[in-house]
Amino acid sequence: MTTLSLSGLSLTLVGPSDEDAIREWYELCCAVASADYPDDPPPCWAHELGSFRHPWPGEVRAVWLARVDGSPVGACTLVLPTLDNVHNAHGDILVAPGHRRRGIGRALLAHLRAEATRHRRIRLISWVAQPLDPGAPDPAGRFAAASGAVPALVQTRRRLDVSTIEPDMLARLDTEARVCSKDYSLVQWVGATPPRWLDDIAYLAGRMSTDAPLDDLQWEEEIYDAARIQGRDTCWLGRGLRVITTAAQDRAGRLVAHTHLLGGTTSPWFAWQGDTIVAPEHRGHRLGMLIKVANLKLARRERAELRLIDTCNANSNTYMVSINEAMGFRPHRRAVDWQLGL
Ligand SMILES: CC(C)(COP(=O)(O)OP(=O)(O)OC[C@H]1O[C@@H](n2cnc3c(N)ncnc32)[C@H](O)[C@@H]1OP(=O)(O)O)[C@@H](O)C(=O)NCCC(=O)NCCS
């Protein structure tokens, strides 16, 4: 274990086998979530533990716990892409609610900057949850702006309350989408990607990294192959996520569109919307709506307790936003990618 000293704080690198430190990290995440995001599902232990033991393919992640007198007061995370985007780093900072406005966040950011620079990264990107109401308290946005970062990609997180869906609504959306997509059939699965579809899913995953609007975010295409998709699936399953997928197949037998829903073990009533993408040459056939409606129906059958689904889209992504609004998703929060030149 590496211990650093920084402005009176002790900083400890958390290792994958140090379950006590991972537990402290998890408790810090829970304290921050209940103070700042009380209407969101709480952090999931299986997911947090799994995040140390089942790394995301194509990146290296380091988490440091900050302590004062032995007690955790904050944490920071650095993620370094290794296969593409090798000039970028992702950073994340948490400060315990009772220890804020004392310069701990600033000290943790200085540490992330130094570490990212040491690894030859030229920018630090952070995904920050912010309120919809511009007049509401926004410590994270104020902190990011004070650090000199710029808001490069502004997204809105929308939420669907599945229990409020009108009985006829999904049937109507499904019928409308099918009229325009007669040349396609649906393929669905739960869990890891079946081997026969790995190459098609790799193509779609790569397109996803740049086809969704990035606005001013400096992010290059991610390189996916079958092995990286298998690594991604292993990571999801190792973190306790149940992944529900619907894809569209064209007449030639290729998968040309797909969408995922991901649910954790702690809150079976909640799921995250994962990627939704239609290959460029197959757009304009309502495939986006077709696969999302079909996947929602499958998810309701697979997870009887499912009540809330959250999705996040760039404000400039008008096509995806219009599908989500038609399905009943409504704005819940802003999610902004802040970018800091190093
Ligand atoms: C954002 C967060 C990390 C800030 O931590 P912190 O230790 O309170 O930050 P610092 O004391 O170092 O503040 C540095 C500067 O940020 C700005 N700032 C931080 N909190 C602020 C607030 N509530 N209101 C206005 N400005 C604020 C100020 O400019 C501050 O400098 P100052 O105190 O000299 O005026 C903390 O609120 C937090 O953990 N939030 C939840 C998790 C999160 O959103 N993290 C951001 C993702 S990277």
Side-chain angles (χ1 to χ4, degrees), residues 229-245:
I229 294 297
Q230 283 178 311
R232 180 200 71 176
D233 289 355
T234 303
C235 168
W236 277 340
L237 300 179
R239 296 178 184 192
L241 290 168
R242 192 165 167 82
V243 189
I244 296 173
T245 303

Side-chain angles (χ1 to χ4, degrees), residues 310-324:
D310 280 10
T311 186
C312 213
N313 306 114
N315 291 356
S316 53
N317 196 348
T318 48
Y319 178 61
M320 195 69 246
V321 169
S322 71
I323 291 177
N324 288 331

Side-chain angles (χ1 to χ4, degrees), residues 32 36-37 91-95 99-106 126-128 139-140 142-143 146:
V32 168
D36 296 341
Y37 318 114
D92 194 34
I93 295 171
L94 297 178
V95 175
H99 295 268
R100 293 183 182 169
R101 292 310 286 275
R102 299 179 194 170
I104 296 173
R106 207 193 292 274
S126 189
W127 194 75
V128 176
R142 302 284 293 272
F143 174 81

Side-chain angles (χ1 to χ4, degrees), residues 83-229:
L83 297 178
D84 44 59
N85 289 284
V86 295
H87 299 302
N88 288 340
H90 263 287
D92 194 34
I93 295 171
L94 297 178
V95 175
H99 295 268
R100 293 183 182 169
R101 292 310 286 275
R102 299 179 194 170
I104 296 173
R106 207 193 292 274
L108 293 175
L109 178 59
H111 174 69
L112 290 183
R113 289 181 77 132
E115 282 293 307
T117 304
R118 191 166 71 80
H119 289 280
R120 301 179 190 281
R121 307 296 156 134
I122 60 171
R123 60 183 79 83
L124 188 62
I125 296 167
S126 189
W127 194 75
V128 176
Q130 297 182 239
L132 279 179
D133 173 4
D138 181 14
R142 302 284 293 272
F143 174 81
S147 74
V150 291
L153 175 62
V154 179
Q155 307 187 63
T156 298
R157 176 166 164 174
R158 285 179 170 75
R159 177 164 286 180
L160 174 64
D161 184 341
V162 174
S163 65
T164 64
I165 294 176
E166 299 284 335
D168 297 344
M169 192 264 281
L170 289 184
R172 177 176 52 78
L173 293 175
D174 186 51
T175 305
E176 287 170 7
R178 280 179 193 274
V179 169
C180 307
S181 55
K182 291 201 168 81
D183 289 339
Y184 301 86
S185 55
L186 293 178
V187 179
Q188 298 185 301
W189 64 87
V190 178
T193 309
R196 65 180 290 210
W197 301 125
L198 286 168
D199 290 335
D200 291 353
I201 295 296
Y203 169 71
L204 292 170
R207 294 295 313 208
M208 182 73 200
S209 63
T210 49
D211 284 15
L214 293 168
D215 296 355
D216 295 328
L217 194 68
Q218 301 295 307
W219 194 259
E220 63 190 31
E221 184 176 358
E222 294 168 17
I223 311 300
Y224 278 90
D225 58 13
R228 195 170 178 187
I229 294 297

